């Protein structure tokens, strides 16, 4: 859903990307390290810092692709590295939230599995030659929910709000998995 606003964001990101002299793969790794810092912040019960670091890691996630496109350094390995780092970043953040005691471990593990499954189903469908970027909760939406939970929770009831945010990630994640499985079934059933 948030991917629909990506072209509008690109107008603001491209001028910044043109001024960055780092290789996009380095930016991807920096984004992963920022996510690890966010996870650590959550684990140490620093909700606001964790949320702000998610925002910063999201910036690196957007800017690395723009730098690759604008500097003609886009590569298949860069896409592979970006996707792999995104999976680790998602896992780090959710594990940090669980460790910080913001959510019951069971719901946290379900959120982690949902996040990984959304990506897996897309990757598996693409192996079969299907474009599978459908669904209501891709990575950006899930991180936005966690970010919103962290910011709102900081000012209200951290455990309740983060539990609700993680529960929403679980529900929307599995709905997205089902949407992608159904989409893939429709594309493959006559082949």
């Amino acid at each position: 859903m948030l991917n629909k606003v990506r072209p509008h964001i690109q107008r603001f990101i491209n001028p910044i990307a043109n001024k960055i002299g780092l290789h996009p793969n380095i930016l991807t790794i920096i984004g992963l390290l920022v996510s690890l810092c966010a996870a650590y912040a959550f684990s140490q019960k620093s909700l606001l810092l964790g949320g702000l670091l998610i925002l910063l890691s999201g910036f690196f996630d957007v800017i690395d692709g723009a730098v690759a496109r604008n500097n003609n350094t886009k590569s298949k390995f860069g896409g592979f590295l970006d996707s792999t780092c995104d999976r680790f970043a998602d896992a780090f953040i959710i594990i940090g939230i669980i460790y910080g005691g913001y959510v019951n471990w069971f719901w946290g593990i379900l959120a982690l599995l949902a996040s990984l499954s959304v990506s897996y189903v897309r990757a598996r469908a693409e192996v079969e030659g299907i474009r599978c970027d459908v669904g209501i909760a891709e990575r950006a939406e899930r991180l936005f929910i966690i970010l919103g939970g962290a910011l709102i929770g900081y000012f209200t009831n951290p455990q309740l709000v983060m539990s609700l945010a993680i529960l929403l990630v679980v529900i929307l994640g599995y709905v997205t998995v089902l949407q992608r499985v159904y989409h893939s079934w429709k594309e493959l059933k006559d082949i």
Side-chain angles (χ1 to χ4, degrees), residues 44-190:
Q44 299 302 303
K45 300 194 181 298
S46 184
L47 203 56
L48 182 61
L49 180 59
L52 293 175
L53 287 168
I54 286 177
L55 197 58
L56 182 60
S57 74
F59 170 76
F60 281 103
D61 196 38
V62 170
I63 204 77
D64 62 358
V67 168
R69 284 186 300 278
N70 292 353
N71 296 341
N72 224 12
T73 53
K74 192 174 178 181
S75 69
K76 289 189 179 208
F77 176 75
F80 170 82
L81 179 67
D82 184 60
S83 180
T84 302
C85 287
D86 286 350
R87 302 300 73 77
F88 277 101
D90 292 350
F92 290 154
I93 289 167
I94 293 171
I95 291 167
I97 291 168
I98 295 168
Y99 189 84
Y102 292 112
V103 65
N104 175 284
W105 69 268
F106 180 74
W107 294 110
I109 297 299
L110 286 178
L112 179 57
L113 183 59
S115 293
L116 295 175
S117 296
V118 167
S119 301
Y120 171 78
V121 172
R122 178 178 179 170
R124 187 62 182 92
E126 289 176 351
V127 165
E128 298 299 331
I130 302 166
R131 184 178 171 107
C132 194
D133 54 358
V134 300
I136 60 172
E138 292 189 271
R139 182 170 191 259
E141 287 81 5
R142 294 190 311 270
L143 286 177
F144 188 75
I145 290 166
I146 292 172
L147 170 64
L151 297 179
I152 295 168
Y154 176 76
F155 294 106
T156 59
N157 183 335
Q159 190 158 359
L160 174 65
V161 174
M162 285 303 290
S163 291
L164 291 173
I166 292 296
L167 182 59
L168 191 57
V169 167
V170 169
I171 293 167
L172 295 180
Y174 289 115
V175 167
T176 303
V177 167
L178 291 174
Q179 288 175 308
R180 289 181 174 188
V181 168
Y182 178 70
H183 172 77
S184 300
W185 173 74
K186 283 194 323 185
E187 295 292 315
L188 292 171
K189 70 178 181 172
D190 296 328

